[in-house]
Amino acid sequence: QVQLQESGPRLVRPSETLSLTCGVSGDSVNSDYYWGWIRQPPGKALEWVGSIYDNGSSYYRRTYYNPSLKSRLTMSVDTSKNQVSLKLSSVSAADTAVYYCARPKTTQREYSGRYHDAFDVWGQGTMVTVSS
Amino acid sequence: SDEITQPPSVSVSPGQTVNLVCSGHELGTKYVFWYQQKPGRSPVLVIHQHNRRPSGIPERFSGSRSGNTATLTISGTQAIDEADYYCQAWDSGILVFGGGTKLTVL
């Protein structure tokens, strides 16, 4: 059974970089799945942050980022640690949110649509506050 | 990217059928995903692809699409269905969430 666990600092200063990792157990980060990040400011709606695919081949890596965050966002996959990372630079109070990592329902081979399937496996989320 | 709009709140009586609607450009032509989220919990996928329910999701949940709308229908609504519901769809490489609908079961 796949399990995801977000970790990282709970408090980040304005203008600094928010760094989170998603530890994956029960699957490989290089399997045939995308990995995603979603955030939710307190009392507000879910917001997709980005999605990454890295099957370990240098020929096929792909990322999709929320355009509103793209200039500040970097997502990566660490095969040795079996985790997915998120870095968001120049943060402000508007980046305060619960951050979730998630995996889609189906593999890319099984998925008949464009991009990737809905997120079916979610971490418990980690609350990150941006404040001085 | 195109926005997806949802009514902020909907109420339903137990046992009745409720339709939760999302509106967005050509939603009827896209895969629309639906999530249920209860307070303090991670979202749960209830519908993916055309109208597929993950294992463990009751049959009373179903999805449909037409034109610029997508609908999540809950038949025989139960008190445990009270939650926030979000739709989601891809739009030119951007994964867009609707603003969510708070479903109250009165």
Side-chain angles (χ1 to χ4, degrees), chain A residues 38 40 44-48 51 64-67 100 105-106 110-120 122-125, chain B residues 1 31 33 35 37 40-45 47-49 52 54-55 86 88 90-100:
Chain A
I38 301 94
Q40 186 172 34
K44 296 187 177 181
L46 299 168
E47 179 184 30
W48 172 70
S51 300
Y64 294 99
Y65 290 162
N66 187 322
Y100 298 97
K105 179 70 174 70
T106 54
E110 296 170 326
Y111 184 54
S112 58
R114 293 193 69 188
Y115 313 109
H116 65 69
D117 202 353
F119 293 117
D120 182 44
W122 292 69
Q124 66 183 23
Chain B
S1 66
Y31 279 157
F33 314 134
Y35 300 89
Q37 186 182 33
R41 307 295 296 273
S42 302
V44 172
L45 178 66
I47 294 289
H48 71 117
Q49 299 191 32
R52 299 178 65 180
S55 61
Y86 295 91
Q88 183 189 50
W90 283 100
D91 177 29
S92 302
I94 303 166
L95 191 49
V96 182
F97 279 102

Side-chain angles (χ1 to χ4, degrees), chain A residues 6-17:
Chain A
E6 304 89 348
S7 61
R10 301 298 179 92
L11 179 65
V12 182
R13 306 297 182 190
S15 79
E16 295 187 345
T17 296

Side-chain angles (χ1 to χ4, degrees), chain B residues 11-19 60 73-79 81 103 105-106:
Chain B
S11 59
V12 63
S13 299
Q16 298 302 303
T17 294
V18 63
N19 293 312
R60 64 179 180 273
T73 298
I74 309 175
S75 305
T77 307
Q78 300 182 10
D81 299 329
L103 178 65
V105 183
L106 298 172

